Amino acid sequence: MIQRIEYVIFDNDGLLLDTEPFYTRAHGAVAARFGKVFDWTVKSRMIGLRAEDSARVVIEGLGLPLSVPEYLEARQGMLDELFPQTEPMPGAVRLSRHLHRHGIPMAVATSSDRRHFELKITRHREWFRIFSSVVTGDDPAVGRGKPAPDIFLLAARTVGADPGRCLVFEDSPAGVAAALAAGMYVVAVPDPHLDEAACDGAHQVLRSLEEVNLPAWGLPPFPEEA
């Protein structure tokens, strides 16, 4: 399976940063106002989508009497309070810093908007400076959200990458589909509640970034594996 990987692109939410519990709390709080229960059957269809698209899934799935802007406004205050508390996912710092030390250009391609992204990295700005580029879902150059390939193709362009030489790490089915549509290789690290079959097509499925086998992708091994 060894490929000539020269660039790495990371999703952010649920992959680099552990933000998904915060989204779950916020969505659950809004749903509860209307006597509804936000559960995994709804959440599983939202992971990886842009804010507007995920809001539509919740509104339609739970039958909420809100427009998309109203829904986003209803969850805003809680997310603003929670996001600055965000911590890294297991293995994320170690992996990205290792690749950076070896001169592998890296980008972040997140469906989040720029404002929320900046809140999420409040405690981690030094770490995120190692990424050559960060593309957010509200970038005007991103025409369509995941599962369309637009955000990954834009991320590749920002680092001068050939899509066929990019390895994407993703946690969502929509992100996996987007990376494949962009002509990139993709390693899926799905939420443990998600059926692995939902990431069908991924070149590899891991339980955690701590399990990644870098030499399998032609990338430098961790020191203890060399």
Side-chain angles (χ1 to χ4, degrees):
M1 192 171 75
I2 295 177
Q3 309 294 338
R4 286 183 54 213
I5 295 300
E6 299 173 359
Y7 306 85
V8 174
I9 302 176
F10 292 93
D11 174 49
N12 187 40
D13 294 295
L15 193 283
L16 290 178
L17 292 176
D18 189 15
T19 58
E20 290 302 334
F22 297 154
Y23 280 111
T24 298
R25 286 173 61 181
H27 291 308
V30 176
R33 295 179 194 176
F34 300 94
K36 305 289 185 177
V37 176
F38 177 76
D39 59 18
W40 181 251
T41 60
V42 178
K43 182 176 175 63
S44 63
R45 294 186 282 121
M46 298 168 56
I47 297 176
L49 302 183
R50 290 195 287 194
E52 292 81 3
D53 296 328
S54 66
R56 290 188 187 94
V57 171
V58 182
I59 292 167
E60 295 171 6
L62 298 181
L64 301 181
L66 296 172
S67 66
V68 168
E70 288 170 340
Y71 185 87
L72 295 177
E73 178 64 26
R75 68 175 198 168
Q76 188 65 54
M78 184 175 292
L79 292 180
D80 285 355
E81 180 180 343
L82 292 171
F83 281 155
Q85 305 172 37
T86 301
E87 294 297 335
M89 292 291 288
V93 175
R94 174 175 176 255
L95 172 58
S96 56
R97 286 198 180 280
H98 171 78
L99 294 174
H100 179 64
R101 283 194 296 270
H102 286 272
I104 305 298
M106 298 178 295
V108 175
T110 174
S111 295
S112 175
D113 60 56
R114 177 64 63 169
R115 178 177 172 277
H116 278 169
F117 172 78
E118 293 295 336
L119 288 173
K120 293 166 188 173
I121 67 168
T122 297
R123 299 181 180 181
H124 312 292
R125 296 192 185 281
E126 180 184 0
W127 171 29
F128 273 80
R129 280 196 285 270
I130 71 175
F131 296 96
S132 301
S133 171
V134 173
V135 179
T136 55
D138 59 344
D139 189 311
V142 179
R144 300 167 296 169
K146 301 172 185 177
D150 302 33
I151 195 167
F152 286 123
L153 293 173
L154 178 59
R157 289 198 298 273
T158 64
V159 294
D162 173 357
R165 294 287 179 253
C166 292
L167 177 63
V168 173
F169 287 93
E170 258 287 355
D171 72 309
S172 72
V176 168
L180 293 172
M184 300 176 180
Y185 295 97
V186 58
V187 173
V189 190
D191 185 291
H193 297 95
L194 192 67
D195 187 342
E196 287 188 8
C199 293
D200 187 42
H203 296 89
Q204 189 177 28
V205 179
L206 306 177
R207 290 173 297 180
S208 164
L209 287 176
E210 296 176 311
E211 296 182 348
V212 64
N213 181 351
L214 294 173
W217 296 101
L219 292 167
F222 292 112
E224 64 271 22
E225 299 170 343

